[in-house]
Amino acid sequence: MSTYDNAIEPPHVSVLYHHIISALRPKSPGFYVDATIGAGGHALGILENSAPDGQLLGLDVDPRALELSLQRLSLYSHRTHLVHSSYTELRNVLLTLGWDHVDGIVIDLGVSSMQIDSPERGFSFQKNGPLDMRFDPSQPVSAEDIVNNYSESDLADLIWRYGEDRNSRRIARAIVQARPLHTTLDLANVILKIARSYPGPIHPATRTFQALRIAVNRELEGLEVFLPRAIQSLNSGGRLAVISFHSLEDRIVKQYFRFESRDCICPPEQPVCNCGHHASIREITRHPITPAESEISGNVRARSAKLRIIEKL
Ligand SMILES: C[S@@+](CC[C@H](N)C(=O)[O-])C[C@H]1O[C@@H](n2cnc3c(N)ncnc32)[C@H](O)[C@@H]1O
């Protein structure tokens, strides 16, 4: 049984909830997408605020998140469409529904509390479980495959690129020497043994676990595919709100929004514009919105959240 089967309270507190609702300005009748529905918290707010006729499409690759959202949104089932799909497939899902364009899209990246809190999903280095880390359990590659089969140099590159861990080479060497590793604690203990200083501000396995999760789920590639498809799917005046949780994600979002909000992308030294590029969006947030101290004190997961919002021209 998962840790959230019997939950009475929502097992995941939606980050920056009020900011998302005021960014999307849900109305009736309107068409909205929650590209990572999770426990359905943002989706519930969109449905409540777009009553009586607003429609919501919710996507997730985790079947358990979809089950949970189905229950939580049951009051609005006649206006809710839940689909087991990656957000990279947004265009295809919209076409299947016959929705050409929508009025608002939210994507809340990363891992949900119920995924972190379920040891059998393998996301947490604090709870023992299989080295899994797949958001979509039907995907072929798990963290265990990567940890046990990558070469030492590929592992080091991955921990450096996606975890930005200065100890990436030492960690990769220690992993290769200790293989095979099967559980989250096997891996966390290998990293703890070689950690130079602990306790420090963060657990020494934090960055390696982040790197593996990003690689297993191809998260950065997925975000790069999603952003243009999301903007293409918006009506003029429609809005996209993106919540990210680390600098690698935020950098991709920021650079893409900057690029698409410019009329000219010629190099600055070029005297006359000949790029033919036209802005397709307007940035609502030049700087990202971050949670207030009061939100962080009630939900530590919100600590590193950054929200960027654009409007389609
Ligand atoms: C932080 S949670 C979303 C929480 C949600 N906003 C709420 O209010 O409850 C992120 C969700 O994204 C899902 N996810 C991860 N990768 C995905 C992908 N490629 N396509 C769709 N959903 C994905 C995860 O399974 C997880 O349920």
Side-chain angles (χ1 to χ4, degrees), residues 12 14 35-42 60-62 86-87 108 110 115 135:
H12 173 92
S14 300
T36 49
I37 200 154
H42 291 127
D60 208 295
V61 286
D62 183 347
S86 169
Y87 47 69
D108 176 14
Q115 289 165 333
F135 286 129

Side-chain angles (χ1 to χ4, degrees), residues 67-218:
E67 275 169 35
L68 188 72
S69 298
L70 188 69
Q71 284 172 25
R72 189 150 179 223
L73 307 176
S74 58
L75 211 57
Y76 304 105
S77 57
H78 54 298
R79 302 197 274 123
T80 307
H81 312 260
L82 297 180
V83 179
H84 179 248
S85 168
S86 169
Y87 47 69
T88 57
E89 296 303 314
L90 174 65
R91 282 303 302 156
N92 295 334
V93 180
L94 288 177
L95 290 179
T96 315
L97 280 178
W99 294 10
D100 208 23
H101 289 91
V102 298
D103 301 299
I105 302 174
V106 56
I107 181 164
D108 176 14
L109 295 160
V111 63
S112 67
S113 303
M114 61 266 190
Q115 289 165 333
I116 281 275
D117 293 343
S118 300
E120 73 275 16
R121 302 300 298 272
F123 287 106
S124 171
F125 48 79
Q126 279 159 341
K127 300 188 167 93
N128 204 17
L131 265 176
D132 191 321
M133 302 195 199
R134 290 170 301 173
F135 286 129
D136 182 348
S138 67
Q139 243 196 44
V141 178
S142 69
E144 185 173 3
D145 298 321
I146 294 180
V147 162
N148 290 308
N149 296 317
Y150 270 34
S151 68
E152 185 180 321
S153 72
D154 284 351
L155 267 179
D157 286 351
L158 183 148
I159 296 166
W160 171 245
R161 194 148 30 100
Y162 296 151
E164 298 179 313
D165 193 322
R166 280 181 292 136
N167 290 323
S168 57
R169 307 233 155 260
R170 295 179 66 229
I171 294 173
R173 195 172 321 126
I175 289 175
V176 168
Q177 282 168 2
R179 292 197 300 211
L181 301 174
H182 299 296
T183 70
T184 49
L185 289 193
D186 285 348
L187 176 60
N189 289 334
V190 167
I191 300 170
L192 263 181
K193 262 193 217 148
I194 57 153
R196 284 211 175 100
S197 56
Y198 187 70
I202 63 166
H203 189 287
T206 308
R207 292 171 183 278
T208 300
F209 271 65
Q210 171 184 299
L212 284 168
R213 201 199 77 208
I214 291 175
V216 165
N217 298 290
R218 301 175 58 83

